[in-house]
């Protein structure tokens, strides 16, 4: 068993250890709106549910060189609204295209030929190609980093769920019907594999 101290590693090495160890990771495709009205979209795999009461989700957005915020983090902080979509086997290729580096005034939605769809409770649109989307309002942004801010941890409150009727039954979501994909390391992804059941002890 190797024992490695993170402080003696480069940031890149720690990154590789984390993304290779914390797998599979769910992927959020997040749409936001810029001040000029541009609809931006980007995928993030540092993403998860936080709590159900109230319904909160979290997304970690790494900053660029010299602590420059990503468009998504800046847009969320300025407008306070965003939409989280679950990435699945049918939309993953289009979503992957949105990871390209584009100027803030160019829409990744148009680049990937995704279909804009109006939200119910917020001004930021979502995309039609997702089987699940969550309209969110900003709950909190936590700036993280040792010496300077290197990451924005965004916590959003879900104010509206949209779920494809084909994967919904009796209050539950069919995991096979959703077909969510997860992120591994490098360029690798994973599908939902064999599902097994273990009863929790009482």
């Amino acid at each position: 068993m190797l024992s490695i101290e993170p402080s003696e590693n480069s940031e890149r090495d720690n990154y590789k250890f984390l993304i290779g160890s914390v797998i599979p990771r769910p992927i959020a495709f997040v749409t936001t709106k810029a001040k000029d009205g541009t609809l931006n979209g980007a995928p993030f795999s540092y993403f998860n549910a936080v709590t159900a009461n109230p319904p909160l989700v979290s997304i970690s957005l790494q900053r660029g060189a010299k602590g420059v915020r990503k468009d998504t983090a800046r847009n969320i902080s300025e407008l306070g609204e965003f939409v989280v979509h679950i990435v699945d086997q049918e939309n993953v290729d289009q979503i992957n295209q949105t990871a390209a580096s584009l100027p803030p005034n160019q829409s990744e939605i148009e680049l990937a030929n995704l279909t804009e769809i109006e939200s119910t409770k917020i001004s930021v649109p979502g995309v039609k190609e997702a089987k699940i989307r969550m309209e969110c309002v900003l709950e909190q942004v936590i700036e993280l980093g040792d010496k300077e801010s290197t990451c924005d941890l965004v916590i959003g409150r879900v104010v509206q769920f949209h779920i494809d009727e084909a994967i919904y039954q009796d209050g539950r979501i069919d995991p096979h019907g959703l077909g969510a994909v997860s992120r591994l390391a490098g360029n690798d992804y994973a599908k939902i594999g064999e599902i097994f059941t273990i009863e929790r002890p009482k």
Side-chain angles (χ1 to χ4, degrees):
M1 179 70 75
L2 293 172
S3 294
I4 300 168
E5 187 175 333
S7 63
E8 296 178 359
N9 264 356
S10 68
E11 178 184 350
R12 187 66 183 170
D13 285 338
N14 286 331
Y15 171 76
K16 289 179 180 179
F17 288 154
L18 284 170
I19 66 167
S21 302
V22 185
I23 58 172
R25 297 187 308 281
I27 309 169
F29 176 65
V30 182
T31 54
T32 60
K33 189 186 288 185
K35 279 185 174 180
D36 66 0
T38 302
L39 182 61
N40 293 117
F44 298 94
S45 67
Y46 284 18
F47 155 67
N48 222 312
V50 178
T51 181
N53 185 24
L56 301 178
V57 293
S58 67
I59 308 159
S60 177
L61 303 100
Q62 305 302 306
R63 293 193 180 188
K66 298 181 180 179
V68 176
R69 274 181 163 172
K70 291 187 175 179
D71 294 341
T72 300
R74 185 182 63 253
N75 293 345
I76 290 173
S77 295
E78 291 176 352
L79 187 61
E81 299 178 343
F82 57 101
V83 183
V84 170
H85 310 73
I86 301 302
V87 179
D88 62 55
Q89 294 175 41
E90 295 176 21
N91 63 29
V92 65
D93 288 330
Q94 284 176 286
I95 299 300
N96 183 56
Q97 293 179 43
T98 68
S101 297
L102 299 179
N105 62 348
Q106 186 174 352
S107 175
E108 295 84 0
I109 309 305
E110 294 177 5
L111 173 73
N113 292 315
L114 291 164
T115 309
E116 185 177 326
I117 188 168
E118 188 175 345
S119 288
T120 304
K121 293 189 176 178
I122 64 174
S123 65
V124 178
V127 297
K128 191 175 182 180
E129 286 75 9
K131 295 174 187 172
I132 295 178
R133 68 182 190 276
M134 295 170 265
E135 298 179 22
C136 300
V137 296
L138 178 61
E139 185 83 2
Q140 189 175 359
V141 176
I142 304 170
E143 296 184 12
L144 302 173
D146 283 339
K147 296 178 181 177
E148 60 181 22
S149 295
T150 58
C151 167
D152 294 291
L153 177 60
V154 172
I155 300 174
R157 180 187 293 246
V158 181
V159 294
Q160 189 77 34
F161 290 102
H162 299 278
I163 302 170
D164 188 331
E165 292 179 357
I167 65 169
Y168 177 84
Q169 186 174 7
D170 299 327
R172 298 182 182 275
I173 294 169
D174 171 22
H176 289 296
L178 174 57
V181 296
S182 57
R183 195 78 167 86
L184 304 178
N187 293 321
D188 293 337
Y189 294 76
K191 300 177 182 179
I192 294 287
E194 179 185 354
I195 296 177
F196 60 94
T197 302
I198 300 178
E199 291 189 13
R200 294 179 63 174
K202 296 180 180 178

